[in-house]
Amino acid sequence: MKVLMVHAHPEPHSFCAALKNQAVATLTAQGHEVCVSDLYAMQFNPVATAGDFLQRENPEYLNYALEQRSAFAAGKLCAEIQTEINKVIDAELLIFSFPIYWMSMPAIMKGWIDRVFVSGLFYGGKRIYAKGGMQGKQALVCATLGGRDYMFGDKGIHGSLHGPTGMLRSLLQGSLGYVGMEVFEPFIGYHVPYITAEARVQLLSDWQQALLELDKRPVMQMPLLSDYDDTFRAR
Amino acid sequence: MKVLMVHAHPEPHSFCAALKNQAVATLTAQGHEVCVSDLYAMQFNPVATAGDFLQRENPEYLNYALEQRSAFAAGKLCAEIQTEINKVIDAELLIFSFPIYWMSMPAIMKGWIDRVFVSGLFYGGKRIYAKGGMQGKQALVCATLGGRDYMFGDKGIHGSLHGPTGMLRSLLQGSLGYVGMEVFEPFIGYHVPYITAEARVQLLSDWQQALLELDKRPVMQMPLLSDYDDTFRAR
């Protein structure tokens, strides 16, 4: 299997980076081919601008999604974006590895999605969810945070982190599911700056096990297109 | 009243920018003092890095939140961040104006939060929600998107955009509410790239009216600290 890991943490020796390294080692040992986009190491630019297009459909007024569509079709996306798109096309499984900042991704990873998930290829017209451009691919989120597990969920002060009403819904459903990927239940490392070395070793082991048993991991239910008409109104 | 508008759109002539300009004109005409952080015009850097701190608590290992806390206390945050913090401290109302990218903020605005909402000032220890560092301030989100209104909400294909289970919950509750701000129901402009000029004029007028009647606008319910013990476990 070909795997793309998109990793974003400003500290190369973070526990989050250790989880990333664990994934690379585990998957490689299984015979999978792993490509890593380490966004901080690459100094990836997360800001969507007119400079993303080597040729413009409308040089007077920037409609970012329309320019994505025509630049992708014409092969006129800037090299930084086209390179990442090629990695996604090549991958069967995408793993997103990041620390949770403000209940979502760090900006550098949000911008990777803003710029790489181009209209026309990833989605477009009626091609979303089960008909999305990335159908057939799988996605797995591996995130670390400072908060404790009991602060989340039905009784948690912050409400759900993942699941149908979770804080991460804009990523899990609104981005990964939206483009047609099959999205696994995320792997979350809670309270990592404060836990013991033993607890960290256990988390690394849990993560390894999760990767070895990925075929048994639950996937998230996405909206069913059959429940909506062809303008996406509820039937 | 002192108002800080944080605006992020790559096209200066966008409808989103027109909404921003409408807000500046309306609020200024009412006698309010409006400061605008136009993130694209400022070329704001959204990437949280070690360079954000002029002095490090631990130069060997970057724990971003801990470095925020000590650098803020020591007055050693980089100028770009300290300038934005000063604007927030000065403001009574913050307005966030942006196009919805992937069911959330563009990366440049997400990074403004990642870097500006520093630990120690905005939150810390037990100081979240009603005890958050920004209590007494109000926040209003004004967002535009391509999707139609019926695609959201209980029967919408994507589920809720705002409200307790909405796609924007990581911003509205997890960021703005978390730091203690009173968060108004957001103002959303649906389907803006495709609507008529008349519909756009109507939206601008609705937005103006919303600003003139802000004191009547519903605010979002945040978690009540009294429902949790001092470790934030449900009582």
Side-chain angles (χ1 to χ4, degrees):
Chain A
M1 188 165 62
K2 288 189 173 183
V3 182
L4 172 61
M5 277 207 85
V6 187
H7 171 75
H9 198 293
E11 171 53 60
H13 300 104
S14 65
F15 183 69
C16 188
L19 289 167
K20 180 257 296 174
N21 295 338
Q22 173 74 283
V24 172
T26 301
L27 295 167
T28 304
Q30 280 190 293
H32 302 309
E33 199 178 306
V34 186
C35 169
V36 178
S37 281
D38 182 337
L39 303 184
Y40 272 93
M42 293 155 66
Q43 299 189 285
F44 186 81
N45 166 29
V47 184
T49 67
D52 293 350
F53 314 110
L54 306 180
Q55 182 180 289
R56 291 276 293 278
E57 185 77 14
N58 180 352
E60 306 298 319
Y61 183 94
L62 179 64
N63 179 316
Y64 192 75
L66 290 184
E67 294 292 344
Q68 282 183 317
R69 187 174 296 221
S70 60
F72 170 71
K76 295 290 185 184
L77 288 165
C78 74
E80 190 182 32
I81 295 174
Q82 189 64 56
T83 301
E84 296 304 301
I85 288 175
N86 294 347
K87 294 179 191 173
V88 175
I89 291 174
D90 214 34
E92 292 152 87
L93 168 66
L94 285 86
I95 302 179
F96 294 85
S97 152
F98 60 92
I100 290 181
Y101 284 2
W102 297 102
M103 307 294 181
S104 62
M105 289 170 283
I108 198 171
M109 184 173 278
K110 177 55 168 63
W112 186 89
I113 289 180
D114 290 348
R115 296 177 71 219
V116 172
F117 278 28
V118 295
S119 178
L121 175 65
F122 283 71
Y123 70 99
K126 312 295 178 194
R127 296 183 304 117
I128 60 173
Y129 296 124
K131 292 188 178 168
M134 293 298 137
Q135 57 188 279
K137 298 185 192 296
Q138 298 181 304
L140 173 60
V141 163
C142 173
T144 55
L145 74 162
R148 291 178 181 272
D149 56 357
Y150 67 74
M151 297 176 183
F152 296 91
D154 286 349
K155 292 193 163 180
I157 186 167
H158 306 308
S160 299
L161 182 60
H162 51 101
T165 63
M167 290 277 190
L168 296 176
R169 193 160 74 88
S170 59
L171 169 61
L172 299 171
Q173 178 190 331
S175 308
L176 306 176
Y178 188 94
V179 301
M181 294 181 193
E182 185 179 58
V183 182
F184 290 109
E185 282 297 332
F187 181 90
I188 309 284
Y190 291 95
H191 210 48
V192 297
Y194 313 106
I195 59 177
T196 61
E198 291 73 22
R200 288 180 173 218
V201 169
Q202 184 62 51
L203 257 179
L204 282 165
S205 166
D206 293 348
W207 172 231
Q208 181 175 41
Q209 204 56 35
L211 291 168
L212 293 174
E213 295 176 348
L214 204 55
D215 55 333
K216 297 180 198 156
R217 197 168 185 84
V219 297
M220 295 178 62
Q221 176 68 56
M222 293 296 157
L224 294 175
L225 294 176
S226 55
D227 291 341
Y228 303 89
D229 69 16
D230 65 0
T231 64
F232 300 129
R233 273 187 202 273
R235 284 189 197 277
Chain B
M1 188 164 63
K2 288 188 174 185
V3 182
L4 172 61
M5 276 207 86
V6 187
H7 172 75
H9 198 293
E11 171 53 61
H13 300 105
S14 65
F15 184 69
C16 188
L19 290 167
K20 180 258 293 175
N21 295 338
Q22 173 74 283
V24 173
T26 301
L27 294 167
T28 305
Q30 280 190 293
H32 303 308
E33 200 177 305
V34 185
C35 169
V36 178
S37 282
D38 183 337
L39 303 184
Y40 272 93
M42 293 156 66
Q43 299 189 285
F44 186 81
N45 166 27
V47 183
T49 68
D52 293 350
F53 314 112
L54 306 180
Q55 183 180 287
R56 292 276 293 278
E57 185 77 14
N58 180 351
E60 306 300 318
Y61 184 93
L62 179 65
N63 178 317
Y64 192 76
L66 291 184
E67 294 293 344
Q68 282 183 316
R69 186 175 298 220
S70 59
F72 171 71
K76 295 290 186 185
L77 288 166
C78 74
E80 190 182 30
I81 295 174
Q82 188 64 56
T83 301
E84 296 304 302
I85 287 175
N86 294 346
K87 293 179 190 173
V88 175
I89 291 174
D90 214 36
E92 292 153 87
L93 169 66
L94 285 87
I95 302 179
F96 294 85
S97 151
F98 61 91
I100 291 182
Y101 284 3
W102 297 101
M103 307 294 182
S104 62
M105 290 171 282
I108 198 171
M109 184 172 278
K110 176 56 168 61
W112 187 88
I113 289 180
D114 289 348
R115 296 177 72 219
V116 173
F117 278 29
V118 295
S119 177
L121 174 65
F122 283 72
Y123 70 100
K126 312 296 178 195
R127 297 183 302 115
I128 60 172
Y129 296 124
K131 292 188 178 168
M134 294 297 138
Q135 57 187 279
K137 299 187 192 295
Q138 298 180 305
L140 174 60
V141 163
C142 173
T144 55
L145 73 162
R148 292 178 181 272
D149 56 358
Y150 68 74
M151 295 175 186
F152 296 91
D154 286 347
K155 293 194 164 180
I157 186 167
H158 307 307
S160 298
L161 182 60
H162 51 100
T165 63
M167 290 277 189
L168 295 176
R169 193 160 75 88
S170 59
L171 169 61
L172 300 171
Q173 177 190 332
S175 307
L176 306 176
Y178 188 95
V179 302
M181 295 181 191
E182 183 178 61
V183 182
F184 290 109
E185 282 296 333
F187 182 89
I188 310 284
Y190 290 96
H191 210 48
V192 296
Y194 313 105
I195 59 178
T196 61
E198 291 73 21
R200 288 179 173 220
V201 168
Q202 184 62 50
L203 258 180
L204 282 165
S205 165
D206 292 348
W207 172 231
Q208 180 175 43
Q209 203 56 33
L211 292 168
L212 294 173
E213 295 177 347
L214 204 53
D215 55 333
K216 297 180 198 155
R217 195 167 186 85
V219 296
M220 293 178 63
Q221 177 67 57
M222 294 297 157
L224 295 174
L225 294 177
S226 55
D227 290 340
Y228 303 89
D229 70 15
D230 65 0
T231 64
F232 300 129
R233 271 187 204 275
R235 285 188 197 277

